[in-house]
């Protein structure tokens, strides 16, 4: 089985030694509703199926990824020093061969690297973490001038499917008045939300102006992506980044 043909390679001008991989829902062995390449061991899938799916990734990765216990927070783990399952929603690496990964099924995965290819980061940006500053914490942990950084936004729930309440919009706007542009009126006090735009605003405010990707909707593309909001019980995709050894 050639798993790579079922994955996406981010299209961005990262240095050649910065390696990336975005899985889809296809190419694994998990049964419905986790069909087929579920990488999460915390969603009810058979443990042996998850283990086998992760093994399928081994030929494409230089080492075992640092799998995070994601909690919609802002903590950042160091891929070269983290112990098993650190509680964090972002991971940073300056060590060649150490693999950062975040898992998503509607939340926004963000990859970051610098121009010299000496530091990389993967960020799990659900609305809560995004609002509270997980991207800012990841950029700070990278320890580089923001104008040397670039970002790639992976598959996430699209604006036409992501409806939130007044309280979510109010939290974003309170922290950044420009965020009002990312919300379109929905029904009964709800708002359709552009999570890509919200992430872009945060990145731009940090000085990270080179932002690529976005536009792949997990909710509407059921053939390729898991979506928690669409299916409730479902798998998780992985977004990986590392420095070549």
């Amino acid at each position: 089985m050639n798993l790579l043909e079922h994955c996406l390679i981010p299209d961005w001008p990262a240095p050649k030694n910065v390696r990336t991989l975005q899985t889809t829902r296809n190419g694994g062995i998990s049964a419905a509703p986790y069909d087929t390449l579920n990488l999460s061991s915390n969603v009810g899938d058979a443990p042996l199926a998850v283990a086998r799916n992760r093994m399928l990734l081994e030929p494409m990765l230089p080492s075992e990824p640092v799998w995070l216990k994601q909690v919609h927070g802002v903590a950042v783990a160091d891929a070269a020093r983290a112990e098993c399952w650190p509680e964090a929603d972002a991971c940073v690496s300056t060590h060649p061969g150490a693999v950062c990964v975040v898992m998503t099924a509607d939340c926004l995965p963000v990859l970051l690297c610098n121009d010299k290819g000496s530091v990389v980061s993967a960020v799990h940006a659900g609305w809560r973490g995004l609002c509270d500053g997980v991207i800012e914490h990841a950029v700070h942990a990278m320890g580089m001038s923001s104008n040397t950084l670039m970002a790639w936004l992976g598959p996430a729930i699209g604006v036409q499917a992501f409806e939130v309440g007044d309280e979510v919009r109010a939290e974003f706007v309170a922290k950044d008045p420009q965020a009002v542009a990312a919300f379109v009126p929905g029904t009964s006090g709800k708002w359709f939300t552009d999570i890509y735009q919200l992430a872009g605003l945060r990145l731009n405010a940090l000085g990270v102006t080179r932002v690529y990707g976005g536009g792949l909707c997990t909710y509407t593309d059921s053939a390729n992506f898991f979506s928690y909001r669409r299916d409730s019980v479902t798998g998780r995709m992985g977004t990986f980044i590392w420095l070549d050894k």
Side-chain angles (χ1 to χ4, degrees), residues 63 94 102 110 131 141 162 179 181 189 220:
S63 64
T94 57
V102 291
V110 180
C131 187
F162 189 26
T220 56

Side-chain angles (χ1 to χ4, degrees), residues 6 9 43 48 51 54 88 101 108 110 142 183 194 197 199 213 222:
H6 296 290
I9 303 299
V43 294
L48 288 178
R54 292 184 178 185
V101 60
L108 176 65
V110 180
M142 294 176 78
F183 295 88
D194 190 337
Q197 187 174 359
S222 59

Side-chain angles (χ1 to χ4, degrees), residues 29-146:
I29 67 162
S30 291
Y34 309 103
D35 46 327
T36 58
L37 191 64
N38 167 49
L39 298 177
S40 175
S41 59
N42 299 314
V43 294
D45 194 4
L48 288 178
V50 177
R52 177 57 181 159
N53 286 338
R54 292 184 178 185
M55 287 178 62
L56 291 172
L57 290 167
E58 289 180 359
M60 295 182 284
L61 303 173
S63 64
E64 178 72 10
V66 177
W67 303 101
L68 306 177
K69 180 182 178 183
Q70 298 173 185
V71 294
H72 297 276
V74 298
V76 183
D78 183 334
R81 300 178 181 179
E83 297 180 358
C84 184
W85 290 100
E87 188 173 289
D89 284 86
C91 190
V92 169
S93 176
T94 57
H95 185 77
V99 181
C100 301
V101 60
V102 291
M103 288 186 286
T104 61
D106 283 339
C107 292
L108 176 65
V110 180
L111 297 181
L112 295 155
C113 74
N114 68 329
D115 289 324
K116 291 184 178 180
S118 60
V119 60
V120 295
S121 179
V123 184
H124 165 238
W127 81 260
R128 169 55 65 190
L130 180 58
C131 187
D132 288 346
V134 67
I135 290 177
E136 289 87 339
H137 280 73
V139 167
H140 177 75
M142 294 176 78
M144 296 289 166
S145 175
S146 58

